[in-house]
Amino acid sequence: MKGTNGRRAGLSIVAVTLLTGVAGCSSGGSGGSGGDGESSPSSSSSSSKGGGTHVSPIAALRTAEKSTDGADSAKVESTTTMGSLMAMTADGSLGWGDGLTGTLTITYTGGTMADTMRQLGTTSMEARYLPDAYYARMGDVFAEQAGGKHWIKYPYEALETLGGGSGAYLKDQMENSTPNQSVKLLLASGDVRRVGEETVRGEHTTHYSGTVEVADLATRNSSLTDSQLADLKKQLEQAGVTTETVDIWVDDENLLVKKVEQGQAANGAYNQTAYYSDYGTLVDTEVPPAADTADFSELLQQQGAGPTS
């Protein structure tokens, strides 16, 4: 019985990790636009720096979205909080030139998730993203309850079979977690505004902000296609989000260097802050050894808790 309980706890953790880990990459404890040595916003419009003076915020962000998408890879550093459920950090590199790839170290620093992870022997895990699946490496205590295997594989297609719409949401998040998604979300807000010029970790940037009203995504003029708006609306609705504020900072190369998303979801208030740097960095992610990998769907079926339609 003890072994079964251990497996159930571990599977629960990784299921949530799929959501919070990806969100942190795309995915902050501190939140907001201050801190980290950043300057206060400047209302000056005389500079030609920061994503295009004399250019409308919508036009500037459309350029930033294309530039960030075309950069193919970046180093990522993020923090995420979600109610009393969890506080976590993520650090590593992601690539999106040909499907999502990359490796992140995810550490739970607070909340019930951190408490449960400690029971499994570690508060940190390695996450690997490959075009067809997500892999999470748990600790030795978990492996003892999973046939000696440390890695759990989540095929994206299999996620769709999870009940309650959560599987489809996770699949969408996993396959659409690139930095430019935050720019698309801000474009979809319909009220995007240029806050001013600020310094972020020593880089000159332009700060843009907006509030996303999920119910209005299909009707606001955001310069996104109908299908893009529908996808964004579906993802937010499935997460229980009705309103979200989005702030992004774009450097002089029209690349996203920081983003903050704050709102209320089904699991409580959340706050995500992510920093992006070293665009174009080499990302070389290997599939974990098959002999040390368990499939998530198979583990669920072994417990009599298989996917529901």
Side-chain angles (χ1 to χ4, degrees):
M1 183 64 67
K2 180 179 179 181
T4 300
N5 290 339
R7 285 200 303 274
R8 288 184 185 276
L11 290 170
S12 175
I13 283 177
V14 183
V16 177
T17 299
L18 276 172
L19 173 62
T20 56
V22 173
C25 300
S26 64
S27 168
S30 59
S33 59
D36 301 300
E38 297 168 18
S39 66
S40 300
S42 168
S43 61
S44 170
S45 61
S46 60
S47 172
S48 61
K49 295 181 178 181
T53 299
H54 307 308
V55 176
S56 73
I58 291 292
L61 288 182
R62 290 176 69 183
T63 299
E65 191 274 323
K66 293 178 181 178
S67 297
T68 300
D69 182 46
D72 286 350
S73 65
K75 292 183 178 179
V76 181
E77 180 183 337
S78 70
T79 57
T80 304
T81 60
M82 185 174 291
S84 62
L85 176 65
M86 51 137 278
M88 58 160 276
T89 64
D91 183 64
S93 300
L94 290 177
W96 52 90
D98 184 20
L100 184 66
T101 59
T103 302
L104 296 177
T105 298
I106 296 176
T107 302
Y108 293 95
T109 58
T112 56
M113 285 284 291
D115 294 338
T116 308
M117 286 290 283
R118 274 190 284 270
Q119 295 176 13
L120 294 172
T122 179
T123 56
S124 294
M125 55 168 279
E126 180 180 337
R128 293 187 187 178
Y129 301 82
L130 288 140
D132 63 337
Y134 163 85
Y135 296 82
R137 190 187 193 283
M138 308 301 291
D140 291 339
V141 175
F142 177 85
E144 291 175 0
Q145 311 299 334
K149 297 180 179 181
H150 294 83
W151 289 93
I152 299 180
K153 177 183 179 180
Y154 291 84
Y156 298 148
E157 292 302 324
L159 291 178
E160 285 191 307
T161 65
L162 294 175
S166 59
Y169 169 74
L170 290 175
K171 179 178 182 292
D172 287 342
Q173 286 291 319
M174 296 302 296
E175 296 181 321
N176 296 282
S177 59
T178 60
N180 69 312
Q181 290 299 113
S182 296
V183 185
K184 288 182 178 180
L185 188 60
L186 187 52
L187 282 168
S189 71
D191 72 342
V192 59
R193 64 188 184 280
R194 183 182 186 275
V195 178
E197 298 178 22
E198 300 176 21
T199 300
V200 175
R201 295 186 168 182
E203 289 191 60
H204 177 272
T205 71
T206 301
H207 178 186
Y208 299 92
S209 183
T211 299
V212 178
E213 298 288 347
V214 176
D216 293 341
L217 282 181
T219 58
R220 287 184 184 272
N221 178 17
S222 65
S223 299
L224 298 184
T225 66
D226 290 343
S227 62
Q228 287 174 326
L229 285 170
D231 288 343
L232 285 170
K233 185 176 182 180
K234 181 179 68 173
Q235 290 177 12
L236 291 169
E237 287 177 338
Q238 288 174 335
V241 177
T242 57
T243 302
E244 180 177 70
T245 59
V246 181
D247 289 81
I248 67 171
W249 288 256
V250 179
D251 69 8
D252 297 343
E253 302 298 322
N254 295 309
L255 296 171
L256 178 66
V257 296
K258 178 185 177 182
K259 73 99 178 183
V260 175
E261 294 182 29
Q262 302 176 78
Q264 188 79 23
N267 290 320
Y270 65 88
N271 188 317
Q272 302 167 359
T273 298
Y275 293 89
Y276 304 95
S277 62
D278 296 290
Y279 279 94
T281 191
L282 177 64
V283 176
D284 186 13
T285 306
E286 296 183 356
V287 177
D292 197 25
T293 302
D295 188 277
F296 178 62
S297 298
E298 294 177 358
L299 289 174
L300 284 181
Q301 291 171 0
Q302 290 172 11
Q303 300 172 55
T308 58
S309 59

